[in-house]
Each structure stands twice: as structure tokens, then as C-alpha cells.
Amino acid sequence: PEPGRCAHFVLRKKRFCRMIPAPGRRFCGEHGHEEEQNDRKRIPCPLDPKHTVYEDQLQKHLKKCNSREKPKPVYFVQDINAGLKDVAEIPEKQVPLSSLSIEELQNLINKLKKASNGLELHLKEQILSHQALQEALNDPKNGESAFKHLKQQASILGNMEKLHLLGPGRCFVEFGAGRGKLSHWVDIALENVENVQFLLVERATTRFKVDGKHKRRDSIFERLQVDIQHLCLNKVPILEKKRLPVVGIGKHLCGAATDLALRCLVESYTTCCDGEDEEPAPKRCRAAQTQVAPHKSAGNESTTEDHKLVAGIVIALCCHHKCDWTHYVGREFFKSVGLGPVEFHYFQRMSSWATCGMRETTSKASTCEENEDQTNYTEEHEQTLSRTESGSDTLQGILSVEERKEIGCLCKRLIDHGRIEYLQQQGYKAALQYYTESAVSLENVLLTAVPNPSLIPEPNI
């Protein structure tokens, strides 16, 4: 062991523990049981068995353990964005793809193609950039991985600028924020803009956050450590106080998290705190009641209605195999084309074929991007490569690589179309587009939405 460090050898990491023991001891508190400690016994913590504690200090430890249940923040509302869970709709047990017969699989593919008939499947390519990132994009010190992230962030900002979402008097809510790099670049793009607020939503504790780099007095950064499923934006204190229109953003927002974020923005943000006894406004009228033109600044003219406004949504989609029927916002669309939770489950799994069509492509697909934020992109996609999920035994010799890729893309577009229809029903003009090249990221589809101008009542002349 290194001088002054614990003498315990960590087999899993193949190195000695790096903790500093108490004076006169060879082991740290975690590994103190390896030497005599006056017969004191260490036991696993009941809150988190990954660490141990002296048995005679258990009660004291439980009061300060980092794994103890902490008080819920004011903006925590249990399952506010979870969607309606009809137990009767959800099958008790799903059969894996590998267990399906050739006939059953072909029947699923036929259903998929029938449901997709007439949908816009060829997305527009809208690869943009933004001046705020030009210096970083031209910096030779950035490696290939960093360059890919920068290109994606630049295009996201470019699309936001095209939709007139980069303006004053707004609150930018980054869902699945991780280190907060997307908000970081939005802040730089808004260098001379006043009255800007950033809320970074991330359920996990995150290391190497970039929040501290923002020293501008005009913009405020606040982290909300909460699952999107339980987030009521109306109860976030700074939104209650400033009542700014919200712009929801996200880069590679995984599976069901996208659906939770959409519901958080266009449903619970409008109705959560309007009063418990009040009936929510009808879906199509609700957006019309709160809309202004996308480029309009709230400024000092904010009204009670304005703070309910969602000025826009810009989310880079990711990991459709992690979607969940319970949370999915497009269930009504699926039902309208004769599909249900069983088909959704299989299409969800088959969507991974778009990025991981065959096991031989594992290296290319899993290394296409190493997510710089807390969630590792490679780990997200590893589960799509298992033989059980891919159904490779059943499909061997039946579907070619290109056919599987095409089917996977079709599954993704069908799931995404349900989201588009949901947003349209809520009074938004929504669209899907390719925002970066597939060589930069295989997950290269951007979902955008702004209030639909046609729903804004025209003034009487």
C-alpha cells in the first residue's frame, strides 16, 4: 500500500484501498474489521449494504447516512407525470423476442408496416450550427468524442435559434441534464440576454458538473435532483416567483424519460397548481389559453397565464428500447391503428435493430458515442446486444442486416409519431428531423415543438 493509505487490497480493482486510516491504524474505517478493534464488530448498513458500520454506532450512523431517505422537495408530486396506469392493459409477463416463432415474428412485422402506412417516415435533414460553439469546434485540443458532442450541441442550438427560442425572459429546463453541458452552451449563446433562468433536472448525483463555470449575474442555474416522473414545475419556487415561459431541452433523453418530460411540460406544468378543485382545461383549448408568439419576450409583461406557457420543446431522442407503455404519451395513437401494449413491447425491443442490427456491428454501434454526462451511452446500448433481446437465433438467415435496420427504424418512427400526435392534440406544432449525421451519432433525431399559432384566437377588428 501507499504510505499513509489503507492496507486493504481491493480484489475487484486490483489495487490497495486509497482511504486514509486513523493515526496508528493500518486500515481505514471501512476495512477496520481486518485488524483487532477491541472486538468491535462491523455490519452492513441496513440503508445501503455497500458500506459497513460499527454495530455499536449503528443508530448514530443511521441519522447521518447519505443513503437515508431525505425530505421531499416542494416540487415533488408523486407520479404527477407517470401517466394513467391501467393494470388491465399491461400483460403480466412479456415473452422475449427470441421465444417467438417465425410466423409470430412475421405477423408483428406485418402489423408494424400496416400501422406505418401513410406516416411521414423520411425525415427532413436539418443539421445546423451556432456561433457560440465555433471556437470550441475549431479547437484542435478537443478529441474525436468531444468534437461529436460539440457538433450535436451546436445543431441543437441552431434549431432552437431557428424556432426563436433563444431569447430573454425564459426559463430553460434541461431534462436528464447530467453535467449540464447543453445548458452551458445555451447560456453562452445568450451572453447579452437578460432575465434568463436554467433548471437542470437530474435524478442522480453528478460529478464534474459545469454549473460553477457560470459567473454571469443575469442567468441563474439551479439543480433539481428529482425523477422527472415526480416533478411539478409549477411548484419550483423560482418559477412561482418569476413566472417565466419555459423551454424544455434535452440531449439524448433516454426512452421513457422523454415521455415523462413531455407530460411534465404540456400537462402538469399547466394544471398542477391551478387549484385542486378546478377541472383542467380541455386539451386543445389549454395551449390556446396560454400561448404567445414563440419569439415574444415575457419581460416585465408576464401575466398569471404567461407563467404556464411552454414556449418550446427541443429534445434529442434516444434509446427507444427503454420506453414503457405505462408512461408512453402516444398510447391513443397506437390504439387508433389497432395496436396495444403487447405490440408496443415488441416494437420497443425491435427498435434497437436500427442501431445494432447484427452482433457483428456491436463495436461500431456501442462506440458511436460515449455520453459525456452521467449516463454512459455505451452501457445504455449494451442491453440491446444480448442474444435474448435481439432474437438472433430466430432471425438467423431470415432477415438481412439491412432489413433488420429498416424494421428497427420503422419501430422508432412509429413510437415517435405517437409523441408527435400527442403534442399536436395538446396544441403544439411538432416535428421530427435529423439534426446530425449518423457518423456523429446513430441516435440523430431531434423532436421539436412550439405552440401552434392556428390555436391562438385572432383579435377582433
Side-chain angles (χ1 to χ4, degrees), residues 54-69:
Y54 285 117
E55 189 173 27
D56 57 1
Q57 291 186 338
L58 177 60
Q59 295 306 315
K60 181 180 179 181
H61 170 80
L62 292 177
K63 294 179 181 179
K64 60 179 182 180
C65 179
N66 289 332
S67 298
R68 72 190 186 280
E69 186 176 357

Side-chain angles (χ1 to χ4, degrees), residues 89 91 94 108 111 325 339-348:
E89 284 190 16
Q94 301 284 8
L108 273 175
K111 284 186 176 182
W325 177 257
L339 302 175
V342 175
E343 289 82 7
F344 180 84
H345 166 75
Y346 289 122
F347 295 162
Q348 161 204 346

Side-chain angles (χ1 to χ4, degrees), residues 457-461:
E458 295 183 1
N460 295 324
I461 298 176

Side-chain angles (χ1 to χ4, degrees), residues 18-33:
R18 292 174 180 166
M19 298 297 290
I20 301 175
R25 301 291 185 186
R26 293 182 59 240
F27 297 90
C28 66
E30 184 66 24
H31 304 116
H33 60 278

Side-chain angles (χ1 to χ4, degrees), residues 262-308:
L262 293 179
R263 195 175 279 109
C264 175
L265 289 165
V266 304
E267 286 191 48
S268 66
Y269 186 48
T270 314
T271 62
C272 177
C273 297
D274 289 353
E276 295 180 2
D277 299 327
E278 294 180 17
E279 289 292 328
K283 287 184 177 179
R284 289 193 176 273
C285 298
R286 187 184 303 153
Q289 289 174 349
T290 61
Q291 289 181 60
V292 294
H295 60 275
K296 181 179 178 181
S297 168
N300 295 324
E301 300 176 0
S302 296
T303 66
T304 304
E305 263 68 31
D306 282 341
H307 90 283
K308 299 176 184 177

Side-chain angles (χ1 to χ4, degrees), residues 149 174 176-182 202 206 251 370-377:
H149 284 292
E174 182 178 359
R179 294 173 59 198
K181 292 298 286 289
L182 184 55
E202 177 59 63
T206 308
K251 176 173 173 283
E370 292 179 3
N371 197 314
E372 60 186 343
D373 293 338
Q374 180 71 12
T375 307
N376 185 277
Y377 186 88

